[in-house]
Amino acid sequence: VNTSAFYGTGAVPHAMAYAMTKSALYSMTQTAAVTVAAKGISVNTISPGYTEATGMLDGSIKAAMQGFRKTEKEVKDSFLSQVPTRRFVQVDEIAHLVSFLMNPLARSITGQNIVIDGGSSIVRHTPF
């Protein structure tokens, strides 16, 4: 199971290289999946959104605070307003997804990018 990010699912202003590498990881996953599928090996990618208690979320919040001159609460509220579930992904949710994908019950799931982001990748984002 490879780990990418929900930013790899579309265009990301001011982060072209980051988005491109995440998209490339998914392409690599598909190629690997086709290559080893006959051996009973599944290869997938998970793409988490903003995840609670991670440095990535903290860094994104700090950058937005500086870039938009907003408070931490304003930035978090703005981020959460663009997540239909109105909550950040939890680390244990990602762990459970990976555990499921590694389970024989998921052996027919291969070559997929599974986005775990509370639905934020399916809505149109608007900054502040």
Side-chain angles (χ1 to χ4, degrees):
V1 177
N2 297 308
T3 304
S4 185
F6 74 119
Y7 277 158
T9 62
V12 182
H14 313 294
M16 184 186 310
Y18 181 80
M20 286 171 46
T21 57
K22 297 304 181 180
S23 295
L25 183 61
Y26 178 45
S27 180
M28 181 191 78
T29 296
Q30 291 179 314
T31 301
V34 168
T35 302
V36 300
K39 296 177 183 175
I41 301 170
S42 296
V43 183
N44 292 291
T45 296
I46 61 164
S47 293
Y50 288 121
T51 304
E52 192 82 62
T54 64
M56 187 72 161
L57 177 60
D58 295 340
S60 295
I61 289 170
K62 287 179 183 171
M65 286 170 62
Q66 292 172 349
F68 292 104
R69 296 182 183 189
K70 301 286 183 181
T71 67
E72 182 174 354
K73 181 178 179 351
E74 289 172 320
V75 170
K76 280 185 175 181
D77 288 349
S78 176
F79 282 9
L80 288 171
S81 74
Q82 298 178 50
V83 180
T85 60
R86 298 296 186 255
R87 53 186 289 282
F88 294 121
V89 177
Q90 302 299 304
V91 173
D92 66 324
E93 294 171 320
I94 296 169
H96 286 293
L97 175 58
V98 171
S99 179
F100 172 71
L101 290 171
M102 301 295 291
N103 189 299
L105 294 173
R107 65 184 169 267
S108 290
I109 302 172
T110 193
Q112 301 305 305
N113 180 37
I114 296 135
V115 179
I116 179 169
D117 67 355
S120 64
S121 59
I122 60 172
V123 297
R124 189 172 307 272
H125 297 271
T126 54
F128 299 96

